[in-house]
Amino acid sequence: MNAIITGVGAYVPDYVLTNEEISRMVDTTDEWISTRVGIKERRIARDPNQASSDLGAKAVEELLRKTGTSPLDIDLLVCATVTADMAFPATGNIVCDKAGLTNAFSFDVNAACSGFLYAMEVATNFVRTGKYKKVIVLGAEKMSAIVDYTDRNTSPLFGDAAGAVMLEPSEEGLGVQDSILRVDGSGRHHLYQKAGGSLHPASAETVAAKEHFIHQDGQIVFKHAVSNMADVAVEIMERNGLSSEELAWLVPHQANMRIIEATARRMGLERSKVMINIHKYGNTTSATLPLCLWEWESQLRKGDNIILATFGAGFTWGAMYLKWAYDPQ
Ligand code: UT7
């Protein structure tokens, strides 16, 4: 028994925040952002009443529609997010309410940019037990809620989006074949949202010090991302005896074009086999991987060998090898 992906849904807000508009907010240029990061524009949920759960519910609704599934048939929803609607209850719980998943249970996974991969691993093993037949894995992020739009180091990087996949059991030898997941909690000093938790509860001082926004030591994170993401991607190829020719696609986390290129190079992969949409959406944290699968879905074929690879706050990182389970409808 294995877990296969049987459908993909996603949602991106309509508003397009261009590099040109960011250049009017902070001291930066389209040229700097394009060449150093690879982003041209990102989507932003400008409606203050629209939370991560709203983006997530829209992605789930599209997934249900595309797969012809009743919301009542979903057993479990695992929601990856770092931009939870509130500290509790879990954003997954709220998505279930908004999308009508009244027979499901749900919980959140917080592994930052590796959240979708961690959630895939968790959900896959729920499916493998045989007890859960329809499981949704969701990445939903309103990153604009924690971005400081006066900080040029972070404001160009992030976007809002949600993406979801359906996991179902199969005995065809397809689906999730292998995974490598890692964490190094000492990385917490380099990429974090300082205040708002039990260590630094919200106060007038934490707000004044801008401690509720993302803080990132870009270069340090960059170095760890390049080596760790490539290491696990190559390791998972080697231990499954996969050559670069046998690999159909790399689905990399979309944080920086240079990190993606370095990973592909280490894997010996030509660029045409790498899913890249960072220029359109920026870094949408746990939504980047399903957003890629959603965009490339019509090009995927049953049996395609695909590697997903991520690196994010924590530090968390990992790679997953799966065999795609269906041809385009
Ligand atoms: O998704 C979770 C994991 N996150 C990542 O994987 C992100 C990893 N890090 C990165 O992608 C890159 O480090 C960044 C894109 C964040 C930054 O790029 P960088 O090439 O590492 O730039 P830097 O921080 O080393 O800064 C280089 C220069 C500095 O100026 P000086 O000190 O050399 O004069 C910065 O002040 O670029 C300057 N700079 C900017 N200039 C124009 C930094 N941000 C900007 C900006 N516009 N937006």
Side-chain angles (χ1 to χ4, degrees):
M1 179 86 79
N2 206 356
I4 57 168
I5 292 177
T6 57
V8 192
Y11 173 76
V12 290
D14 293 334
Y15 189 77
V16 179
L17 177 59
T18 61
N19 286 352
E20 203 276 321
E21 188 176 349
I22 295 237
S23 318
R24 283 185 264 125
M25 298 156 78
V26 291
D27 180 17
T28 190
T29 58
D30 171 48
E31 208 255 327
W32 192 95
I33 303 170
S34 304
T35 53
R36 302 303 295 166
V37 200
I39 300 172
K40 297 298 282 184
E41 57 190 42
R42 67 291 289 144
R43 301 298 182 96
I44 301 295
R46 291 218 295 187
D47 177 352
N49 295 314
Q50 202 175 24
S52 293
S53 67
D54 295 296
L55 311 185
K58 283 189 186 305
V60 167
E61 281 159 7
E62 194 201 56
L63 175 66
L64 295 172
R65 199 166 53 245
K66 279 173 68 181
T67 56
T69 310
S70 160
L72 305 180
D73 289 339
I74 304 301
D75 301 310
L76 163 64
L77 178 137
V78 186
C79 175
T81 188
V82 291
T83 49
D85 284 21
M86 48 188 104
F88 69 90
T91 299
N93 304 169
I94 303 168
V95 172
C96 285
D97 178 45
K98 290 180 175 172
L101 277 52
T102 50
N103 292 323
F105 79 108
S106 75
F107 53 88
D108 286 2
V109 166
N110 181 341
C113 298
S114 305
F116 184 78
L117 212 55
Y118 273 46
M120 278 289 291
E121 175 76 354
V122 170
T124 292
N125 286 296
F126 271 91
V127 172
R128 284 178 180 148
T129 65
K131 185 173 174 190
Y132 303 96
K133 309 290 185 212
K134 287 187 190 291
V135 176
I136 292 177
V137 182
L138 169 68
E141 306 282 9
K142 186 178 177 179
M143 295 304 293
S144 60
I146 58 168
V147 167
D148 175 1
Y149 286 99
T150 66
D151 174 17
R152 75 171 182 175
N153 292 307
T154 51
S155 61
L157 306 179
F158 298 96
D160 301 339
V165 300
M166 184 82 73
L167 290 187
E168 296 185 60
S170 163
E171 290 178 352
E172 267 193 280
L174 300 167
V176 179
Q177 306 292 306
D178 194 12
S179 58
I180 303 171
L181 297 171
R182 296 279 185 268
V183 68
D184 174 3
S186 67
R188 68 188 178 280
H189 304 296
H190 305 297
L191 180 47
Y192 59 91
Q193 185 183 346
K194 188 171 183 180
S198 59
L199 182 59
H200 300 289
S203 66
E205 288 74 29
T206 62
V207 172
K210 299 188 164 193
E211 290 174 355
H212 296 268
F213 293 123
I214 300 167
H215 170 84
Q216 173 169 248
D217 299 321
Q219 274 188 21
I220 296 174
V221 178
F222 186 91
K223 279 186 199 135
H224 283 86
V226 164
S227 57
N228 288 325
M229 198 163 115
D231 281 353
V232 283
V234 169
E235 188 183 340
I236 208 162
M237 279 175 82
E238 285 175 357
R239 81 179 191 192
N240 288 280
L242 276 174
S243 68
S244 51
E245 289 75 34
E246 288 162 320
L247 208 53
W249 296 101
L250 167 66
V251 191
H253 175 51
Q254 313 279 311
N256 188 312
M257 193 61 204
R258 292 178 288 141
I259 299 173
I260 296 172
E261 282 167 351
T263 303
R265 222 171 13 251
R266 282 271 311 278
M267 296 169 78
L269 272 192
E270 58 212 63
R271 188 164 162 160
S272 59
K273 289 184 168 186
V274 186
M275 296 186 193
I276 299 170
N277 58 15
I278 186 172
H279 51 290
K280 288 196 290 190
Y281 303 121
N283 183 350
T284 58
T285 306
S286 67
T288 59
L289 300 186
L291 208 53
C292 282
L293 294 174
W294 176 68
E295 204 174 334
W296 268 263
E297 186 186 20
S298 65
Q299 296 181 52
L300 305 180
R301 299 284 177 277
K302 190 171 178 175
D304 274 357
N305 291 315
I306 299 179
I307 286 179
L308 315 177
T310 61
F311 183 88
F315 297 136
T316 55
W317 67 101
M320 178 173 274
Y321 162 39
L322 56 85
K323 279 187 180 291
W324 197 248
Y326 59 95
D327 288 320
Q329 313 287 303

